[in-house]
Every structure is written in C-alpha cells, then in structure tokens.
Amino acid sequence: MDLIKQFQEIYDDSQNIVFFGGAGVSTESGIPDFRSQDGLYSQKWKYPPETIISHSFFEENTKEFYRFYREKLIIKDVKPNITHLALAKMEQKGKLKAIVTQNIDGLHQAAGSRNVFELHGSTLRNFCTKCHSPYGVDIIMESANTPEQIPLCPKCGGLIKPDVVLYEEGLDQQCIQGAIDAIENADLLIIGGTSLVVYPAAGLIRYFKGNKIVLINKTPTASDNIADLVIHQGLGSVFEALKI
C-alpha cells in the first residue's frame, strides 16, 4: 500500500494526536538545520557552534555569543510552511492535541497552533537577567549598534538573555511535564523532521503508550524501528498530500 495512503488511514482512525518535531519542520521555511550538510554545524566560526551556544560561553564570551546568535539564530521574515499550517488545521479540527517542538523559531504559533511545548525555548522571547523584564527580538538585533554590542536592559542595565535553552542548561520542568502528559495520552504520535539524537528531548517519545507511531524524516534515523510507519520524504510533500 502507498505510504501516504497508510498514513491517511492511521490519521483518520486517530482522535488524540501529538506531533513531535525538530529542525526539519522549519527547513522548508528557509531556516537551516543544525546537522545537515548545509547546517550551522558545518559552517566555520572561530569556535564550534556547540561551544558558542553553551551557557559557559555565554557567560565568558558574551559579545562573541551575540555576534553568532544575531547572525545565525535570529532569522527574520520567515513564514510558516505547509507543515506548520497543516498542523494548525489539525488542531482546529480537534484531532491534534499538542505539538512538542525542539525548534526555537515560533513558527508553529505563527501558523495558528496554540498548544505548543517549546522544549528549547524561543528566540522571540528574551528577559533581563537582573530585573526579569521581558523583551522581544528587536532589542537583541539593535544591540549590534551599541558600544557594548550586547543587549542591556534599558530599565536596570542588566544583561538581556534569550529565552533559549543553551548547552549545559536544563530544560524547563513545567514544559517537560506538559509534553510528557500530552504524549502519554495520545493515540497517535507523529514524529517529524528530527534525527532523534538530541537528549533529553528525544527521550520523551518513550512515554508514548498509544496505538501508532508515524515517523517522517528525509533520512533514516536510529529510531525507525520503533515506528509503525516510516516515511523517508520531506514533511511538506507528506502533509500536502494528507487530507485533514
């Protein structure tokens, strides 16, 4: 049977769906994947990207952190793609109960999805580390033109930090628990656009107790064997063909 047809039948038979996604969801919006050949991890900087986006580097080399962060992690003028819009439509129909994402771009919410667990935070949210005042993304971009070249709070002068989980930092426990609850109660788990190698995020799929797992990724993953249906295609082509 055709893989899309199989997916359609599984989708039609499911009433409590959770989507677990990674960087591959947003690549069709023009946001680079970290680990692909053209991803951030393949581009050369003075330090490896994994080092730059770590908590210790943020503390010790703040100016260099923000130079990289502004250029590589804040992508302006991006729009939701077919996958984001399809998932939002699933939620509106009452079939999709939650999205658990490793992405930090806010595109699921831009597409209209409401119940989104952002495991690694969002570049759209920032806060002062001293007085905890919230800020949007513009203050981060504008800091490039300041003498310090780092974003400082106009209220108290404290350092502004993105609400993004850096390497060496723990995930938000409330977010984790919400994601676990959603996955535990799902009858269908759709995993898309992720190689399932980033922990602890990838470990959340072990909480699934439902009927079917559908895994959609361009390339094979080490977790293909846990899925009831594996589709090695781009997400856009799959969700464009699905009747929601």
Side-chain angles (χ1 to χ4, degrees):
M1 188 190 291
D2 175 78
L3 293 175
I4 301 296
K5 190 175 179 183
Q6 289 182 58
F7 185 24
Q8 186 73 58
E9 288 185 0
I10 293 171
Y11 172 79
D12 291 342
D13 289 341
S14 304
Q15 299 303 321
N16 191 329
I17 303 169
V18 168
F19 179 85
F20 181 96
V25 177
S26 293
T27 51
E28 291 177 24
S29 289
I31 296 178
D33 180 2
F34 265 42
R35 288 177 175 77
S36 68
Q37 189 171 354
D38 298 320
L40 290 178
Y41 282 28
S42 302
Q43 300 172 13
K44 290 185 178 177
W45 281 71
K46 189 176 177 183
Y47 303 91
E50 300 98 320
T51 300
I52 298 175
I53 52 176
S54 67
H55 180 81
S56 54
F57 193 90
F58 172 79
E59 294 275 326
E60 296 160 13
N61 299 275
T62 309
K63 184 176 174 180
E64 181 70 8
F65 169 89
Y66 274 110
R67 190 175 74 85
F68 178 87
Y69 185 85
R70 283 189 296 261
E71 184 169 334
K72 291 299 178 185
L73 293 184
I74 297 178
I75 315 291
K76 301 288 275 184
D77 302 320
V78 289
K79 292 182 176 156
N81 59 49
I82 290 166
T83 303
H84 297 111
L85 296 170
L87 292 169
K89 188 175 179 182
M90 283 184 192
E91 185 184 69
Q92 290 159 12
K93 297 264 185 177
K95 300 255 290 180
L96 183 75
K97 305 303 182 185
I99 292 171
V100 180
T101 180
Q102 300 170 79
N103 296 342
I104 56 176
D105 50 49
L107 287 178
H108 285 297
Q109 292 91 330
S113 293
R114 295 185 177 183
N115 197 25
V116 182
F117 295 99
E118 296 174 303
L119 299 176
H120 298 149
S122 171
T123 59
L124 305 183
R125 297 188 302 268
N126 306 275
F127 63 92
C128 174
T129 56
K130 191 173 177 183
C131 72
H132 308 294
S133 294
Y135 292 98
V137 72
D138 287 345
I139 199 165
I140 305 293
M141 296 304 292
E142 291 162 3
S143 67
N145 303 317
T146 65
E148 302 85 0
Q149 296 182 17
I150 60 174
L152 298 175
C153 177
K155 296 178 183 176
C156 74
L159 177 63
I160 295 172
K161 181 182 183 294
D163 189 12
V164 169
V165 179
L166 304 177
Y167 285 104
E168 304 166 354
E169 293 180 343
L171 304 189
D172 179 82
Q173 286 307 303
Q174 189 174 347
C175 178
I176 287 285
Q177 192 56 55
I180 288 172
D181 291 345
I183 290 170
E184 278 186 332
N185 291 314
D187 60 4
L188 167 61
L189 179 63
I190 303 172
I191 301 170
T194 174
S195 53
L196 293 172
V197 296
V198 177
Y199 283 80
L204 296 182
I205 62 174
R206 74 177 186 271
Y207 290 97
F208 180 68
K209 303 171 183 174
N211 300 326
K212 299 285 185 181
I213 294 178
V214 175
L215 196 156
I216 309 163
N217 200 55
K218 278 186 176 180
T219 56
T221 77
S223 299
D224 282 6
N225 61 317
I226 69 165
D228 299 280
L229 177 65
V230 177
I231 304 176
H232 290 149
Q233 287 179 226
L235 284 162
S237 62
V238 174
F239 279 101
E240 190 172 35
L242 189 71
K243 294 180 180 68
I244 298 169

PDB file of all heavy atoms in Angstrom, residues 207-222:
ATOM      1  N   TYR A 207       7.582   7.883  26.453  1.00  0.00           N
ATOM      2  CA  TYR A 207       6.370   7.964  27.284  1.00  0.00           C
ATOM      3  C   TYR A 207       5.104   7.634  26.501  1.00  0.00           C
ATOM      4  O   TYR A 207       4.024   7.537  27.072  1.00  0.00           O
ATOM      5  CB  TYR A 207       6.231   9.363  27.896  1.00  0.00           C
ATOM      6  CG  TYR A 207       7.266   9.648  28.958  1.00  0.00           C
ATOM      7  CD1 TYR A 207       8.434  10.349  28.663  1.00  0.00           C
ATOM      8  CD2 TYR A 207       7.089   9.196  30.267  1.00  0.00           C
ATOM      9  CE1 TYR A 207       9.388  10.604  29.630  1.00  0.00           C
ATOM     10  CE2 TYR A 207       8.047   9.445  31.252  1.00  0.00           C
ATOM     11  CZ  TYR A 207       9.189  10.150  30.919  1.00  0.00           C
ATOM     12  OH  TYR A 207      10.136  10.394  31.883  1.00  0.00           O
ATOM     13  N   PHE A 208       5.231   7.455  25.201  1.00  0.00           N
ATOM     14  CA  PHE A 208       4.052   7.163  24.378  1.00  0.00           C
ATOM     15  C   PHE A 208       3.528   5.760  24.666  1.00  0.00           C
ATOM     16  O   PHE A 208       4.272   4.788  24.670  1.00  0.00           O
ATOM     17  CB  PHE A 208       4.419   7.286  22.897  1.00  0.00           C
ATOM     18  CG  PHE A 208       3.280   6.997  21.962  1.00  0.00           C
ATOM     19  CD1 PHE A 208       2.187   7.847  21.891  1.00  0.00           C
ATOM     20  CD2 PHE A 208       3.297   5.864  21.157  1.00  0.00           C
ATOM     21  CE1 PHE A 208       1.131   7.577  21.027  1.00  0.00           C
ATOM     22  CE2 PHE A 208       2.246   5.593  20.292  1.00  0.00           C
ATOM     23  CZ  PHE A 208       1.167   6.456  20.228  1.00  0.00           C
ATOM     24  N   LYS A 209       2.216   5.672  24.918  1.00  0.00           N
ATOM     25  CA  LYS A 209       1.578   4.386  25.219  1.00  0.00           C
ATOM     26  C   LYS A 209       0.435   4.081  24.254  1.00  0.00           C
ATOM     27  O   LYS A 209      -0.331   3.148  24.479  1.00  0.00           O
ATOM     28  CB  LYS A 209       1.019   4.409  26.653  1.00  0.00           C
ATOM     29  CG  LYS A 209       2.051   4.714  27.731  1.00  0.00           C
ATOM     30  CD  LYS A 209       1.375   4.941  29.068  1.00  0.00           C
ATOM     31  CE  LYS A 209       2.390   5.309  30.135  1.00  0.00           C
ATOM     32  NZ  LYS A 209       1.736   5.674  31.421  1.00  0.00           N
ATOM     33  N   GLY A 210       0.306   4.887  23.212  1.00  0.00           N
ATOM     34  CA  GLY A 210      -0.851   4.781  22.318  1.00  0.00           C
ATOM     35  C   GLY A 210      -0.740   3.703  21.258  1.00  0.00           C
ATOM     36  O   GLY A 210       0.044   2.754  21.380  1.00  0.00           O
ATOM     37  N   ASN A 211      -1.508   3.888  20.190  1.00  0.00           N
ATOM     38  CA  ASN A 211      -1.667   2.845  19.172  1.00  0.00           C
ATOM     39  C   ASN A 211      -0.581   2.848  18.099  1.00  0.00           C
ATOM     40  O   ASN A 211      -0.022   1.811  17.769  1.00  0.00           O
ATOM     41  CB  ASN A 211      -3.034   2.996  18.483  1.00  0.00           C
ATOM     42  CG  ASN A 211      -4.180   2.876  19.467  1.00  0.00           C
ATOM     43  OD1 ASN A 211      -4.095   2.120  20.432  1.00  0.00           O
ATOM     44  ND2 ASN A 211      -5.246   3.620  19.237  1.00  0.00           N
ATOM     45  N   LYS A 212      -0.284   4.028  17.545  1.00  0.00           N
ATOM     46  CA  LYS A 212       0.596   4.075  16.370  1.00  0.00           C
ATOM     47  C   LYS A 212       1.621   5.197  16.478  1.00  0.00           C
ATOM     48  O   LYS A 212       1.339   6.276  17.000  1.00  0.00           O
ATOM     49  CB  LYS A 212      -0.239   4.319  15.098  1.00  0.00           C
ATOM     50  CG  LYS A 212      -1.284   3.252  14.792  1.00  0.00           C
ATOM     51  CD  LYS A 212      -0.671   1.983  14.238  1.00  0.00           C
ATOM     52  CE  LYS A 212      -1.764   0.988  13.838  1.00  0.00           C
ATOM     53  NZ  LYS A 212      -1.177  -0.265  13.321  1.00  0.00           N
ATOM     54  N   ILE A 213       2.805   4.914  15.933  1.00  0.00           N
ATOM     55  CA  ILE A 213       3.834   5.941  15.752  1.00  0.00           C
ATOM     56  C   ILE A 213       4.129   6.039  14.260  1.00  0.00           C
ATOM     57  O   ILE A 213       4.408   5.029  13.600  1.00  0.00           O
ATOM     58  CB  ILE A 213       5.138   5.602  16.499  1.00  0.00           C
ATOM     59  CG1 ILE A 213       4.915   5.628  18.018  1.00  0.00           C
ATOM     60  CG2 ILE A 213       6.242   6.592  16.122  1.00  0.00           C
ATOM     61  CD1 ILE A 213       6.144   5.262  18.837  1.00  0.00           C
ATOM     62  N   VAL A 214       4.034   7.262  13.721  1.00  0.00           N
ATOM     63  CA  VAL A 214       4.403   7.519  12.330  1.00  0.00           C
ATOM     64  C   VAL A 214       5.640   8.412  12.356  1.00  0.00           C
ATOM     65  O   VAL A 214       5.632   9.474  12.991  1.00  0.00           O
ATOM     66  CB  VAL A 214       3.263   8.214  11.558  1.00  0.00           C
ATOM     67  CG1 VAL A 214       3.723   8.585  10.150  1.00  0.00           C
ATOM     68  CG2 VAL A 214       2.037   7.309  11.492  1.00  0.00           C
ATOM     69  N   LEU A 215       6.714   7.985  11.697  1.00  0.00           N
ATOM     70  CA  LEU A 215       7.964   8.740  11.683  1.00  0.00           C
ATOM     71  C   LEU A 215       8.244   9.229  10.262  1.00  0.00           C
ATOM     72  O   LEU A 215       8.327   8.424   9.335  1.00  0.00           O
ATOM     73  CB  LEU A 215       9.107   7.866  12.197  1.00  0.00           C
ATOM     74  CG  LEU A 215      10.398   8.585  12.615  1.00  0.00           C
ATOM     75  CD1 LEU A 215      11.186   7.742  13.614  1.00  0.00           C
ATOM     76  CD2 LEU A 215      11.283   8.899  11.417  1.00  0.00           C
ATOM     77  N   ILE A 216       8.332  10.546  10.120  1.00  0.00           N
ATOM     78  CA  ILE A 216       8.570  11.160   8.808  1.00  0.00           C
ATOM     79  C   ILE A 216       9.875  11.939   8.869  1.00  0.00           C
ATOM     80  O   ILE A 216      10.002  12.901   9.621  1.00  0.00           O
ATOM     81  CB  ILE A 216       7.422  12.112   8.416  1.00  0.00           C
ATOM     82  CG1 ILE A 216       6.059  11.429   8.563  1.00  0.00           C
ATOM     83  CG2 ILE A 216       7.604  12.617   6.986  1.00  0.00           C
ATOM     84  CD1 ILE A 216       4.888  12.393   8.584  1.00  0.00           C
ATOM     85  N   ASN A 217      10.860  11.511   8.098  1.00  0.00           N
ATOM     86  CA  ASN A 217      12.156  12.191   8.074  1.00  0.00           C
ATOM     87  C   ASN A 217      12.821  11.895   6.738  1.00  0.00           C
ATOM     88  O   ASN A 217      12.687  10.791   6.204  1.00  0.00           O
ATOM     89  CB  ASN A 217      13.042  11.715   9.232  1.00  0.00           C
ATOM     90  CG  ASN A 217      14.154  12.692   9.558  1.00  0.00           C
ATOM     91  OD1 ASN A 217      13.904  13.870   9.811  1.00  0.00           O
ATOM     92  ND2 ASN A 217      15.388  12.217   9.541  1.00  0.00           N
ATOM     93  N   LYS A 218      13.527  12.861   6.200  1.00  0.00           N
ATOM     94  CA  LYS A 218      14.154  12.665   4.889  1.00  0.00           C
ATOM     95  C   LYS A 218      15.148  11.517   4.892  1.00  0.00           C
ATOM     96  O   LYS A 218      15.274  10.788   3.915  1.00  0.00           O
ATOM     97  CB  LYS A 218      14.857  13.954   4.442  1.00  0.00           C
ATOM     98  CG  LYS A 218      13.926  14.976   3.821  1.00  0.00           C
ATOM     99  CD  LYS A 218      14.730  16.146   3.277  1.00  0.00           C
ATOM    100  CE  LYS A 218      13.812  17.129   2.575  1.00  0.00           C
ATOM    101  NZ  LYS A 218      14.560  18.282   2.045  1.00  0.00           N
ATOM    102  N   THR A 219      15.863  11.372   5.987  1.00  0.00           N
ATOM    103  CA  THR A 219      16.883  10.331   6.071  1.00  0.00           C
ATOM    104  C   THR A 219      16.547   9.349   7.190  1.00  0.00           C
ATOM    105  O   THR A 219      15.810   9.691   8.127  1.00  0.00           O
ATOM    106  CB  THR A 219      18.262  10.955   6.348  1.00  0.00           C
ATOM    107  OG1 THR A 219      18.183  11.743   7.548  1.00  0.00           O
ATOM    108  CG2 THR A 219      18.702  11.850   5.199  1.00  0.00           C
ATOM    109  N   PRO A 220      17.053   8.132   7.129  1.00  0.00           N
ATOM    110  CA  PRO A 220      16.792   7.155   8.188  1.00  0.00           C
ATOM    111  C   PRO A 220      17.315   7.638   9.538  1.00  0.00           C
ATOM    112  O   PRO A 220      18.285   8.385   9.609  1.00  0.00           O
ATOM    113  CB  PRO A 220      17.554   5.909   7.725  1.00  0.00           C
ATOM    114  CG  PRO A 220      17.690   6.064   6.238  1.00  0.00           C
ATOM    115  CD  PRO A 220      17.834   7.540   6.011  1.00  0.00           C
ATOM    116  N   THR A 221      16.656   7.206  10.604  1.00  0.00           N
ATOM    117  CA  THR A 221      17.108   7.513  11.959  1.00  0.00           C
ATOM    118  C   THR A 221      17.335   6.206  12.711  1.00  0.00           C
ATOM    119  O   THR A 221      16.847   5.148  12.300  1.00  0.00           O
ATOM    120  CB  THR A 221      16.070   8.354  12.736  1.00  0.00           C
ATOM    121  OG1 THR A 221      15.007   7.500  13.181  1.00  0.00           O
ATOM    122  CG2 THR A 221      15.491   9.470  11.886  1.00  0.00           C
ATOM    123  N   ALA A 222      18.025   6.291  13.824  1.00  0.00           N
ATOM    124  CA  ALA A 222      18.276   5.104  14.650  1.00  0.00           C
ATOM    125  C   ALA A 222      16.997   4.607  15.309  1.00  0.00           C
ATOM    126  O   ALA A 222      16.967   3.501  15.851  1.00  0.00           O
ATOM    127  CB  ALA A 222      19.323   5.429  15.713  1.00  0.00           C
TER     128      ALA A 222
END
